[in-house]
C-alpha cells in the first residue's frame, strides 16, 4: 500500500531558482539562504520518495483571469516548466504520477472536495523552486510529482479549515492506493510578504515563527485563521501559508520536526522551511487507545 | 477607495484583489498576461499605445500602463502578479516595481528589506493611531 | 435583499433546441414534447426573475480533457452560445450577473466549496436549451444568467450530497446579497439515458418518476444515491440528475410543485420537467417553531 | 475488459469514463475535440490518415477512427461526448452513431426508443441471469 511518510513546508521564492540557474547559489552572500537546505538535500536522499504531492500556487502563469480553480490536481503524464517571461527555467521535465493522481482525485471528489482535474499544464516557480531547493541541480527529478495548485491570487483563497481537511482526505486516499509507494506532501509558499501598495515589504517574523511553532501540534488553531487575518498580519501574499495546512493535514497527528530554517529577507519575502516525519505507526496506534 | 465595506477595508496600504477588483481589471490583467509571449512583448515595446488600443481597457488604465503608475494600476483592478509582467518587459526587478508604490526609493526599499522588512506595527489597522505605513523594522537583522 | 423564489428542473436535450431553431417546434408530431412547456412559458412571464442560476453540464464543448472543473461558476459579463459543430445556435447572447455571481462565488468558497471561477466561456446546449424551452423564441433573454457548470462527463461527478449542500450554500449566499433581486435556480440534465455501449437506449421511467416524486420532500434520500446507482438504474448519462439536487438544495424545505411534465422518448433521452415554488416565508417560519 | 475491479464493473453493456479510460483516451479525445473547428473538419475529411498522424494516438485508436468503430473507440478510451464529434463531421445523428454499438440497426434502435427505450430489466448486473442487454421495453408507449 502507498504511504505518506513525511512532509515539508518551504517558501518558493523565484530568486532562489534564479540564483541556482545562474550558478550563483554557492556565493558566500547567499549562504544564509542555501545553508538551510543542506540538511534537506541529505535527508531526501535517504527518504527516496517515489511521489511528491506538491502543493503550490500558480502566479498568473498557467491560469489567467479566464479561469481560476480553487484546487487543481495534475493528473497528467508530465509538466513542462513554464516560461514566466525570461524563458523557461533550465530544469528537468516534471514527471507526473497519473495513476496515483487520478486515484487521489477520484477519492477526494467522492469525499466531497470539488477539485479541478488538469491533464496538461506548465508549472511555474511555485512548483519548480521547491524541487530545486530540495533535490538540487539534477539531470532528472528523482521522483514523480503530483502538482496540486491552490488559488491564492484571487480573493478568496480556500479557508485554512478547508485546506487542512483536504490534506486529511488526501492522506485517506493515498492509504487506499494498492501500489507500494513512499509518498511525501510538500506545502509551499509564504512566508510573510506584501508585494503591493504603500505597505509593500511587510515582514512579520514573530507571526511566521509562531506559525511554524503551532503547525506541529496546534494546527487546528492555525486552520481557523481567516484570509483577512493573514493579510493583516503577514501581508497580502502571506496568505499563501494556507497551503502548508494541506501538507499538515496529510500527515499523522504525531509528527517529529526534524529540521527548520527561517531567514529574512529573500528579495521581498520571508523564507521559511521545515520538515516533519510521521511518528511511527506504533505511537499513532497508542494515541488511538 | 477600493475594498469598501469589506472585512479588509481597514487594512492600510494594500488592496485585496477580490471580485470587484477582478471585474474592473479583467482586460488590464489579460493585457498583462499577453506579455508572457515574446512576440507580444516586442509588439508592445514597438508601439505601446497601439498595442494597448487592441485591448478593451479604459483610457485611465491605458494611461497608467504608459506611465508605469503601479499604484494607479492596482486601484484600477490590476493584480500585482499580472502587473509585474509589465516591469519584467521593461527589464526591471519586482522590487523596483513594488517600491514605486511606497514612499521609498528602490534603494531605500531594498535597504528596508535587508534590515528585516517593514514592521507590521502600525500597519495592521487604518485607525491604529498612525495611519501611514511605517518603514521601520520591528526587529533588526 | 435578493431572494430565491422558485426553481425548476428540466432536461436539456439538444433536439429541442434544434427543432426550435429550425422552426419545427410547432409541428404536431412534436406536440407531446413542447405542450409540457406551455404552462412554464406563462409562469415565467409572471415570475419575472431578475437572475437565473442555471446549473448544467458542459458536453465536451468549452471544457476538454485538459481541464475538468467539478463546479465552475460563471462570473463573466456575458457568454456566447457555443458552436457545437453545426454553427452556434441562433439565440441571444447570454447576459451574466457578475456582481451577484462573484458574491455567490466568494460566499460559497468561504463556506467550503472549491469552485472554479470562470470569467470567459461559451455555453452549450446544456445551458441554452433550457433557456429556449422556458422563455421561447425571444430577441433577448429577459433575465441575467449565472452559469454553474458541473462535471458529469468524467467519473466521478460530485456526489448528490455535495450537490444538495452546494444548493443550500448558494441559497445562504443569495440571501446575503444586498440588492433587491428575484432569483431562480434551475437544475438541468437527464433524465434517464445511456448513449454508449450495447446497453445504449436505456430508459427507466419508473426510476425517473420516483426521482421526481421524491425530490419534493425526500431529497435527502435522493442525495444518497451514488453515481454507480445512477449509472446502473438510469444509464451512464442519467447521472446528470445530480444537478437537480443543487436546485433543490437552493429552495426552502417546503415547496409547492406547480407543474410537471414527463415524456419518453426525446431522441435518446427521457424528458423530465418540473417547477417548484418556495412555500411562503410564513410557513417556513411556522416549521421552525 | 475495462472498468475492472471498480464498483461499476458489474454493470453490463457500458464503460464508465473514469481516470483509467481518460488516461488511455486522452489524445483520442483531444483529436475529436479538434473537429469542433471547421478548418480541422475539412483537413480531416481530405486525408483522414494524414490528419490522424498528427496526433500521438495509438495505431489501434487511429484504425478504429478510420473504421468508425465506436465500440472499439470506447474500449480505447474514447468518451461518447467526444466521439460524436466524429459522427457529426460525417453528418450522422447521435442515434446513428450510438446504435452501431448495440446489436440493433439504426432503424431498430430508433424504433426501440419510440417504444419507450431499452428496459433496465436484465441490464443492471452482468450476473443478473441474462448477461446480454435486452432490447425489450418494460413499458410500451
Ligand atoms: Fe508564491
Ligand atoms: Fe446533458
Amino acid at each position: 500500500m502507498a504511504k505518506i511518510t513525511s512532509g515539508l513546508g518551504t517558501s518558493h521564492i523565484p530568486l532562489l531558482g534564479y540564483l541556482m540557474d545562474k550558478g550563483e547559489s554557492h556565493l558566500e552572500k547567499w549562504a544564509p539562504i542555501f545553508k538551510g537546505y543542506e540538511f534537506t538535500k541529505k535527508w531526501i536522499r535517504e527518504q527516496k520518495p517515489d511521489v511528491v504531492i506538491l502543493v503550490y500556487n500558480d502566479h498568473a502563469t498557467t491560469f489567467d483571469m479566464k479561469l481560476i480553480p480553487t484546487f487543481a490536481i495534475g493528473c497528467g503524464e508530465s509538466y513542462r516548466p513554464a516560461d514566466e517571461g525570461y524563458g523557461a527555467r533550465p530544469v528537468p521535465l516534471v514527471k507526473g504520477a497519473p495513476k496515483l493522481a487520478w486515484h487521489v482525485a477520484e477519492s477526494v471528489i467522492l469525499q466531497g472536495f470539488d477539485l479541478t482535474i488538469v491533464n496538461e499544464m506548465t508549472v511555474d516557480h511555485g512548483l519548480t523552486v521547491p524541487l530545486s531547493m530540495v533535490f538540487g541541480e539534477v539531470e532528472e527529478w528523482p521522483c514523480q510529482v503530483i502538482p496540486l495548485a491552490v488559488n491564492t491570487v484571487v480573493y478568496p483563497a480556500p479557508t485554512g479549515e478547508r485546506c487542512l481537511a483536504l490534506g486529511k482526505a488526501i492522506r485517506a486516499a493515498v492509504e487506499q492506493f494498492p501500489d507500494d509507494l513512499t509518498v511525501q506532501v510538500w506545502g509551499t509558499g509564504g512566508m510573510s510578504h506584501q508585494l503591493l501598495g504603500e505597505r509593500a515589504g511587510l515582514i512579520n517574523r514573530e507571526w511566521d515563527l509562531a506559525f511554524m511553532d503551532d503547525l506541529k501540534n496546534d494546527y487546528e488553531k492555525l486552520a481557523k485563521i481567516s484570509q483577512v487575518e493573514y493579510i493583516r498580519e503577514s501581508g497580502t501574499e502571506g496568505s499563501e501559508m494556507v497551503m502548508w495546512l494541506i501538507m499538515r493535514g496529510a500527515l499523522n497527528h504525531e509528527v517529529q520536526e526534524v529540521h527548520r530554517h527561517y531567514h529574512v529577507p529573500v528579495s521581498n519575502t520571508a523564507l521559511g522551511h521545515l520538515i516533519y516525519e510521521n511518528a511511527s505507526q506504533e505511537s499513532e496506534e497508542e494515541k488511538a487507545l | 477607495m477600493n475594498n469598501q465595506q469589506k472585512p479588509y477595508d481597514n487594512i492600510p496600504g494594500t488592496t485585496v484583489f477580490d471580485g470587484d477588483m477582478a471585474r474592473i481589471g479583467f482586460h488590464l490583467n489579460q493585457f498583462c498576461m499577453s506579455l508572457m509571449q515574446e512576440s507580444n512583448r516586442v509588439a508592445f515595446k514597438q508601439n505601446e499605445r497601439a498595442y494597448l488600443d487592441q485591448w478593451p481597457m479604459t483610457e485611465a488604465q491605458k494611461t497608467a500602463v504608459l506611465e508605469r503608475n503601479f499604484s494607479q494600476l492596482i486601484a484600477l483592478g490590476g493584480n500585482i502578479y499580472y502587473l509585474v509582467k509589465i516591469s519584467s518587459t521593461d527589464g526591471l526587478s519586482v522590487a523596483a516595481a513594488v517600491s514605486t508604490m511606497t514612499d521609498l526609493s528602490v534603494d531605500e526599499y531594498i535597504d528596508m528589506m535587508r534590515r528585516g522588512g517593514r514592521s507590521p506595527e502600525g500597519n495592521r489597522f487604518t485607525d491604529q493611531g498612525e495611519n501611514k505605513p511605517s518603514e521601520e523594522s520591528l526587529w533588526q537583522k
Side-chain angles (χ1 to χ4, degrees), chain A, chain B:
Chain A
M1 304 297 278
K3 195 150 178 42
I4 295 175
T5 55
S6 50
L8 63 81
T10 179
S11 301
H12 54 219
I13 306 167
L15 178 70
L16 305 184
Y18 177 83
L19 293 174
M20 289 184 73
D21 299 343
K22 293 253 288 181
E24 291 179 12
S25 60
H26 306 290
L27 297 186
E28 192 51 34
K29 63 191 280 206
W30 306 120
I33 296 173
F34 288 94
K35 275 244 155 71
Y37 287 85
E38 282 176 11
F39 173 89
T40 311
K41 289 191 173 70
K42 264 177 258 158
W43 175 83
I44 200 75
R45 264 178 255 130
E46 285 154 23
Q47 294 286 316
K48 292 197 193 66
D50 299 299
V51 182
V52 168
I53 299 175
L54 205 160
V55 185
Y56 74 110
N57 67 295
D58 180 80
H59 303 76
T61 304
T62 294
F63 300 117
D64 63 17
M65 289 310 297
K66 283 188 190 164
L67 190 138
I68 304 138
T70 292
F71 294 128
I73 185 167
C75 293
E77 307 287 332
S78 64
Y79 311 92
R80 276 184 304 105
D83 180 349
E84 297 179 58
Y86 315 92
R89 289 193 61 210
V91 292
L93 186 75
V94 177
K95 289 165 292 182
K99 200 172 153 215
L100 177 59
W102 272 105
H103 167 83
V104 170
E106 180 181 312
S107 169
V108 305
I109 289 170
L110 291 176
Q111 289 179 68
F113 293 83
D114 318 314
L115 297 195
T116 289
I117 291 169
V118 180
N119 286 308
E120 215 174 272
M121 64 174 171
T122 58
V123 287
D124 76 4
H125 69 269
L127 186 132
T128 63
V129 165
L131 288 175
S132 292
M133 295 306 286
V134 173
F135 291 116
E137 283 154 51
V138 290
E139 288 292 307
E140 54 182 310
W141 302 120
C143 67
Q144 299 179 326
V145 175
I146 298 177
L148 179 60
V150 179
N151 167 46
T152 61
V153 171
V154 180
Y155 182 90
T159 65
E161 287 183 334
R162 192 71 186 150
C163 288
L164 188 68
L166 176 59
K168 292 177 183 176
I170 287 171
R171 176 182 165 187
V174 168
E175 287 177 353
Q176 288 157 3
F177 191 68
D179 298 6
D180 255 329
L181 294 175
T182 297
V183 180
Q184 291 188 355
V185 180
W186 296 5
T188 77
M191 301 190 79
S192 55
H193 59 309
Q194 166 85 33
L195 295 181
L196 75 152
E198 280 186 284
R199 188 182 189 245
L202 185 133
I203 299 281
N204 193 339
R205 173 191 284 260
E206 272 179 82
W207 167 273
D208 288 342
L209 293 176
F211 189 98
M212 291 172 98
D213 286 341
D214 289 340
L215 191 63
K216 181 161 183 279
N217 296 316
D218 290 342
Y219 50 87
E220 301 279 358
K221 186 180 88 183
L222 294 183
K224 292 200 171 59
I225 298 171
S226 71
Q227 187 171 356
V228 176
E229 193 176 341
Y230 279 111
I231 295 170
R232 194 184 308 284
E233 291 292 338
S234 68
T236 303
E237 284 66 43
S239 46
E240 287 186 355
M241 290 308 298
V242 285
M243 296 187 286
W244 292 41
L245 288 167
I246 298 177
M247 174 272 284
R248 187 63 190 90
L251 298 179
N252 292 356
H253 175 68
E254 302 283 349
V255 294
Q256 269 185 285
E257 182 180 316
V258 298
H259 181 61
R260 188 193 287 210
H261 175 43
Y262 185 78
H263 179 70
V264 173
V266 178
S267 53
N268 304 280
T269 312
L271 182 155
H273 169 42
L274 52 69
I275 300 179
Y276 290 142
E277 291 181 4
N278 269 340
S280 66
Q281 203 75 35
E282 286 73 40
S283 63
E284 275 290 295
E285 276 158 16
E286 263 165 47
K287 192 197 122 229
L289 293 178
Chain B
M1 166 180 83
N2 293 306
N3 291 168
Q4 276 169 341
Q5 293 184 291
K6 303 285 176 68
Y8 34 84
D9 67 359
N10 62 358
I11 307 177
T14 190
T15 301
V16 175
F17 188 68
D18 60 13
D20 289 336
M21 301 311 296
R23 280 186 68 195
I24 63 176
F26 181 75
H27 295 293
L28 166 60
N29 289 317
Q30 293 300 86
F31 146 74
C32 292
M33 201 70 190
S34 75
L35 299 179
M36 294 282 272
Q37 284 186 16
E38 175 62 19
S39 56
N40 290 336
R41 286 194 288 268
V42 171
F44 174 64
K45 293 304 281 183
Q46 268 172 0
N47 188 336
E48 298 198 0
R49 179 76 217 189
Y51 188 83
L52 287 167
D53 283 340
Q54 296 168 27
W55 295 83
M57 292 159 59
T58 65
E59 193 54 37
Q61 288 171 329
K62 292 178 191 176
T63 305
V65 172
L66 293 171
E67 293 174 353
R68 305 297 192 267
N69 185 337
F70 285 91
S71 296
Q72 181 67 359
L73 286 168
I74 293 283
L76 297 174
N79 172 282
I80 188 63
Y81 290 119
Y82 289 79
L83 295 178
V84 291
K85 300 178 199 314
I86 303 175
S87 49
S88 299
T89 300
D90 292 337
L92 294 177
S93 72
V94 171
V98 162
S99 62
T100 66
M101 292 180 269
T102 69
D103 56 1
L104 304 176
S105 69
V106 194
D107 288 343
E108 286 167 340
Y109 176 84
I110 290 170
D111 188 56
M112 172 184 76
M113 293 315 296
R114 246 186 231 124
R115 290 185 297 116
R118 186 187 302 279
S119 165
E121 295 306 318
N123 287 315
R124 291 186 173 92
F125 292 92
T126 46
D127 50 5
Q128 194 179 317
E130 40 164 325
N131 284 5
K132 202 167 140 295
S134 148
E135 62 269 34
E136 279 162 50
S137 177
L138 182 60
W139 47 80
Q140 304 288 324
K141 287 222 65 223

